[in-house]
Amino acid sequence: MKLKTDYLFILLSAFFFLGCEKEEEFIISPGVIYNSTEAINRFEELDQQGVLIVNSYFNKDIFHLILENQDTLKVDGRIVETFQPKPAEWNAELIFRDGKTGIAPYLGNTLDILPDSVQVNPSGYGPLSALINITMPAIGKFKFRVVGKNGSKSDITHTPSNISKVHRLNIFGLYGNHENTVEVSFFGQ
């Protein structure tokens, strides 16, 4: 009987030690997003608020997305498969390990103003004026400069106060019988 008891003790000890494998340490950090659905919802909020991601970096299993308002969105790096900024499209694509994809607003590097969005003499009474209608993917404002014929001192610059996604830029100071150059810049919040 002693022999059976020793074997039973050894057998139970083996099950105990095999069942007590060390689990991977998982620490919950405040302010970190741990699932793809929450991250995708946060990206939609950023888009609605017109806030852009301007930079990103990976540090200590946390994917940091730097926002233009100086906040940082932190995503658990273990749920991110790939992060692909697409500045020409003003967004970034995040593919998560669970197969979901999120599109986040990202600082762009292009400003395409289509010819049909520009009207010269829109009122019919100001032949040396123009109107540019443009919708941006983010909230911000514009600055424009009509390049003067006599150097930078003859330039006309203006920054409308409108901070929005939808803009109507009234351009004044164009030259008659001249191919005018108007430089347009967009600034986020």
Side-chain angles (χ1 to χ4, degrees), residues 3-44:
L3 189 59
K4 282 186 176 180
T5 307
D6 289 340
Y7 282 123
L8 184 59
F9 177 73
I10 292 172
L11 188 60
L12 288 175
S13 297
F15 282 131
F16 177 75
F17 286 114
L18 291 175
C20 293
E21 292 179 19
K22 183 179 179 185
E23 292 185 22
E24 182 181 336
E25 190 173 315
F26 187 75
I27 299 171
I28 301 290
S29 299
V32 176
I33 296 172
Y34 288 99
N35 69 68
S36 60
T37 301
E38 184 181 350
I40 291 168
N41 289 341
R42 188 66 175 104
F43 298 155
E44 289 171 0

Side-chain angles (χ1 to χ4, degrees), residues 42-140:
R42 188 66 175 104
F43 298 155
E44 289 171 0
E45 289 173 16
L46 292 175
D47 188 45
Q48 290 170 359
Q49 296 167 0
V51 177
L52 299 171
I53 297 169
V54 296
N55 202 355
S56 64
Y57 67 92
F58 189 77
N59 185 23
K60 297 182 182 177
D61 291 332
I62 303 294
F63 195 62
H64 299 258
L65 301 170
I66 312 304
L67 308 178
E68 67 179 331
N69 62 7
Q70 305 306 314
D71 286 344
T72 301
L73 187 62
K74 298 174 185 175
V75 179
D76 183 355
R78 294 171 288 199
I79 68 169
V80 176
E81 183 72 31
T82 61
F83 175 73
Q84 182 63 45
K86 298 178 179 180
E89 299 172 24
W90 288 73
N91 67 42
E93 181 180 66
L94 262 77
I95 299 175
F96 297 94
R97 294 191 191 276
D98 65 4
K100 293 181 183 176
T101 300
I103 304 296
Y106 191 85
L107 181 64
N109 62 5
T110 61
L111 182 59
D112 296 325
I113 299 175
L114 303 174
D116 63 342
S117 65
V118 178
Q119 288 180 289
V120 176
N121 189 12
S123 68
Y125 298 103
L128 302 180
S129 66
L131 174 67
I132 301 174
N133 290 304
I134 189 165
T135 301
M136 295 299 295
I139 295 173

Side-chain angles (χ1 to χ4, degrees), residues 142-153:
F142 277 93
K143 177 180 180 180
F144 65 85
R145 176 172 76 114
V146 177
V147 178
K149 291 199 287 187
N150 301 312
S152 61
K153 290 188 181 200

